[in-house]
Amino acid sequence: MHEVCVRLPIPDELWTEIAELAEKKSSRPGELAEFLVMVGLYHHLRQNIDMYKASIMLSERRKEGKVDT
């Protein structure tokens, strides 16, 4: 498995919400924030990979003259 480290600034208003949720579940805000970001990134990463593949395919088809620009 590969790992990518990302620094993500979290605005104060979002951090306040995260801290409130963490308190309700007796967890630490940083751990909850990491979990929520990770789940969101996995979801968006899959979508972005699919869109990138489609973009490459469309670009290749344009080069072949098979798609109007």
Side-chain angles (χ1 to χ4, degrees):
M1 178 184 283
H2 300 274
E3 186 175 304
V4 176
C5 296
V6 177
R7 291 182 62 113
L8 178 67
I10 298 177
D12 289 339
E13 68 269 5
L14 288 179
W15 189 259
T16 300
E17 271 189 82
I18 290 168
E20 289 170 358
L21 289 170
E23 186 177 339
K24 288 180 182 178
K25 295 299 264 178
S26 298
S27 64
R28 296 194 323 233
E31 290 177 354
L32 178 58
E34 286 178 3
F35 171 75
L36 294 172
V37 168
M38 182 181 66
V39 169
L41 287 177
Y42 279 140
H43 171 74
H44 288 290
L45 182 59
R46 177 79 261 156
Q47 287 180 333
N48 290 344
I49 289 170
D50 292 342
M51 287 189 309
Y52 195 69
K53 285 179 180 178
S55 173
I56 290 170
M57 186 171 37
L58 181 60
S59 178
E60 289 171 352
R61 293 188 69 179
R62 281 188 179 136
K63 287 178 186 174
E64 296 169 357
K66 295 181 180 177
V67 176
D68 293 333
T69 53

